[in-house]
Amino acid sequence: MSFLQLHGLTKKFAEVTAVDDLSLNVEKGEFVSLLGPSGCGKTTTLQMIAGFVDATAGSIILDGKDITFAKPNERGLGIVFQTYALFPHMTVEKNVAFGLEMRKLSGNDIAARVKEALAMAQLEKFAQRYPRELSGGQRQRVALARALVIQPPVLLLDEPLSNLDANLREEMQFELRRIQQQAGTTTIMVTHDQAEALSVSDRVVVMREGSVIQIDEPYAMYENPATPFISRFVGKTNTFPVTLTRSPQGRQFELDGHRITLPHSADTAVDDGSEALVSLRPEKILISRQGQGRFAGKVQNSFFLGNLWMYEVQTAFGLVTVSVINNHEQVYTTGEAVSLDWHEDSLKVLAAERTGD
Ligand code: ATP
């Protein structure tokens, strides 16, 4: 039996269904992210788990106990809010000790557990400082230490890194994962940042309009998105509309005068003769000088991203984004004629989008 189970969780606010029949099992020690665009119901889901929002329907089972109607303090979960919500008039040490004092632990136990939590979050040097005397990343660590020191069965993180600047944010992603793994705490994080979800999670739950549309490990989610929406939302991709036909060699489609045969691994539920979308990640495309690959194109823009060069190439089937690892100076310039090619097993075939997909 899974450690945390959400069964058919639903929340309606008057006419708005914020969360619609959401079911999810989380294993002990697992790090699961709820990922999706603004308004898809991530925060409402987290708040139902925390007990701040009552579910309209469904149930929440934690370690075998039904906590659907338990008050937040009875659930005893650790929570880190986007704004950290530290107590400004208390030192770091006092902030971290607060939850233990509320639980009336002995002075010795409090001191030992606070020391351990501060060490885990690498905050020993800052124990006597006040929150205003800390950087954003340090405050974030205090919020984490404060949530983890009570040894909660589940840690809930609501966009915990969104107030940090880009560099610190990336550093704190790895730090968050390190601390969570060291503590071994089952964790659920809400984020709208796909890179963050992929880099820290054991599994990612993609939500849209209150519903779960895919639950998978990060690599599987990226490599095999279930819908065109996920293929665009999780990472960057190129999509081309095609019509699939069947031949003795396998399923095929035509692109820029070339007949492309899909590998059997790309077999899909899409019916023969119906519209499909082919998704192809920018890093799976091989770009070379004119005439060297199957598809002709012209570089329309190039961008230097530090670790990558990104090219936008105009082709007969639309504007295609290609990314190339930066291990040499820029090779292709704007206006240059190039060729594109790829291994057929990089192609993912998805059912064509209905409106809203
Ligand atoms: P964001 O990333 O912007 O925080 P989210 O995915 O966390 O979005 P929620 O905050 O869960 O989304 O909101 C889901 C839907 O429920 C939205 O349409 C929102 O407007 C609505 N909603 C949330 N809270 C309430 C409320 N208290 N009363 C009415 N509607 C609400």
Side-chain angles (χ1 to χ4, degrees):
M1 188 197 266
S2 299
F3 187 58
L4 176 68
Q5 301 169 35
L6 311 181
H7 294 295
L9 215 50
T10 298
K11 180 66 194 178
K12 293 192 166 116
F13 294 107
E15 282 92 71
V16 180
T17 303
V19 178
D20 192 6
D21 195 21
L22 181 147
S23 293
L24 172 69
N25 285 336
V26 180
E27 304 307 324
K28 199 163 185 161
E30 207 180 8
F31 194 130
V32 171
S33 292
L34 305 180
L35 173 70
S38 184
C40 72
K42 309 177 293 286
T43 303
T44 305
T45 304
L46 201 76
Q47 291 193 331
M48 284 194 278
I49 302 171
F52 298 142
V53 165
D54 291 333
T56 311
S59 62
I60 306 170
I61 312 290
L62 175 62
D63 201 9
K65 285 191 284 291
D66 189 332
I67 60 160
T68 317
F69 301 106
K71 295 195 173 65
N73 63 324
E74 292 163 357
R75 303 182 190 206
L77 310 185
I79 304 172
V80 174
F81 298 98
Q82 196 171 355
T83 53
Y84 315 142
L86 300 177
F87 305 118
H89 57 288
M90 289 186 194
T91 61
V92 167
E93 190 173 52
K94 288 283 178 205
N95 262 282
V96 176
F98 183 79
L100 301 175
E101 280 163 4
M102 289 285 102
R103 286 169 173 74
K104 309 226 179 312
L105 266 70
S106 76
N108 283 348
D109 284 351
I110 294 178
R113 277 170 59 175
V114 169
K115 190 164 178 236
E116 192 188 350
L118 292 179
M120 187 165 65
Q122 296 176 344
L123 284 167
E124 296 105 317
K125 286 194 304 224
F126 308 103
Q128 300 313 322
R129 291 215 198 155
Y130 287 88
R132 64 174 178 277
E133 299 167 331
L134 299 174
S135 70
Q138 291 157 351
R139 276 184 219 149
Q140 221 276 336
R141 284 167 208 260
V142 178
L144 259 183
R146 188 178 64 174
L148 285 171
V149 77
I150 60 167
Q151 297 173 351
V154 177
L155 175 65
L156 303 176
L157 305 170
D158 189 3
E159 302 264 4
L161 307 176
S162 60
N163 282 339
L164 304 176
D165 66 43
N167 279 338
L168 187 59
R169 192 173 174 143
E170 201 175 290
E171 189 186 313
M172 281 305 295
Q173 281 172 21
F174 300 116
E175 191 61 10
L176 183 62
R177 180 61 166 162
R178 179 189 69 75
I179 295 173
Q180 183 268 340
Q181 282 186 322
Q182 193 178 333
T185 311
T186 310
T187 301
I188 301 182
M189 176 173 82
V190 160
T191 181
H192 61 263
D193 181 330
Q194 50 91 18
E196 190 171 295
L198 293 181
S199 64
V200 301
S201 315
D202 293 306
R203 282 188 303 151
V204 178
V205 177
V206 176
M207 294 180 65
R208 193 177 191 195
E209 291 168 10
S211 300
V212 168
I213 41 179
Q214 188 170 358
I215 304 178
D216 243 320
E217 293 177 9
Y219 183 77
M221 177 82 72
Y222 185 84
E223 288 295 313
N224 291 307
T227 67
F229 166 75
I230 299 179
S231 76
R232 286 191 305 267
F233 192 71
V234 178
K236 288 193 169 57
T237 200
N238 298 289
T239 49
F240 325 121
V242 300
T243 305
L244 291 182
T245 55
R246 194 171 292 272
S247 77
Q249 294 78 39
R251 303 181 92 186
Q252 299 186 324
F253 62 89
E254 198 153 315
L255 196 67
D256 192 15
H258 296 271
R259 184 142 286 281
I260 301 201
T261 305
L262 290 166
H264 291 296
S265 59
D267 224 354
T268 85
V270 181
D271 293 335
D272 292 343
S274 63
E275 293 279 302
L277 274 187
V278 169
S279 161
L280 180 60
R281 299 284 186 195
E283 71 276 15
K284 307 272 182 173
I285 301 177
L286 311 167
I287 181 168
S288 55
R289 304 248 168 252
Q290 187 175 17
Q292 293 182 358
R294 282 179 294 176
F295 303 94
K298 189 182 236 187
V299 176
Q300 198 164 83
N301 280 302
S302 73
F303 304 95
F304 180 52
L305 306 181
N307 58 336
L308 299 173
W309 291 102
M310 201 177 88
Y311 300 104
E312 284 176 349
V313 179
Q314 192 61 58
T315 68
F317 43 97
L319 195 64
V320 175
T321 302
V322 182
S323 63
V324 183
I325 296 270
N326 165 31
N327 50 16
H328 35 58
E329 280 192 37
Q330 181 173 11
V331 182
Y332 306 102
T333 51
T334 303
E336 192 172 341
V338 291
S339 336
L340 303 183
D341 216 329
W342 52 77
H343 297 296
E344 252 58 303
D345 51 10
S346 303
L347 300 168
K348 304 292 167 199
V349 180
L350 302 165
E353 300 181 295
R354 290 155 302 166
T355 324
D357 264 8

